[in-house]
Amino acid sequence: MKYNDKVKNRLKRIDGQVKGILRMMEENKDCKEVVTQLSAVRSAIDRTMGVIVSTNLVECIQQMDDTDSRTQEDIVKEAVDLLVKSR
């Protein structure tokens, strides 16, 4: 799978958020603020995984040919399993 710039930029943004959280911890910010930011990072990672899995799913289905032993159903099940496993 080829990862596009949008996905890479999402991860760069998440990286910036994590660095910001570390700064907050070093500055002894209130734990509610830190937890709020950690929750935002977790949500951003979850959304990024969803984008990657769905993009991969679309690519796999589009690239299917007669020699592929997997069905569309198998490919969708694999994608769902990946998402479930990530939780």
Side-chain angles (χ1 to χ4, degrees):
M1 176 175 165
K2 186 174 181 180
Y3 299 97
N4 65 29
D5 288 339
K6 285 184 179 181
V7 171
K8 292 175 190 173
N9 288 336
R10 282 175 177 261
L11 289 174
K12 289 175 185 175
R13 213 171 17 256
I14 291 167
D15 181 47
Q17 286 179 290
V18 170
K19 288 177 181 172
I21 294 168
L22 285 169
R23 221 175 10 261
M24 290 172 71
M25 290 175 160
E26 289 167 358
E27 295 170 0
N28 295 316
K29 296 287 184 180
D30 182 63
C31 96
K32 284 195 275 187
E33 293 178 45
V34 171
V35 170
T36 298
Q37 291 306 309
L38 286 168
S39 178
V41 167
R42 180 174 48 197
S43 294
I45 289 171
D46 286 345
R47 286 191 305 274
T48 302
M49 284 190 299
V51 167
I52 290 171
V53 170
S54 66
T55 301
N56 185 50
L57 173 63
V58 169
E59 285 180 15
C60 284
I61 289 175
Q62 288 174 342
Q63 294 173 0
M64 280 185 74
D65 59 19
D66 294 335
T67 63
D68 199 331
S69 62
R70 300 177 302 170
T71 64
Q72 283 186 0
E73 221 174 87
D74 292 336
I75 293 171
V76 170
K77 184 178 179 335
E78 272 181 49
V80 170
D81 288 346
L82 262 177
L83 287 174
V84 169
K85 185 186 246 185
S86 70
R87 297 307 265 140

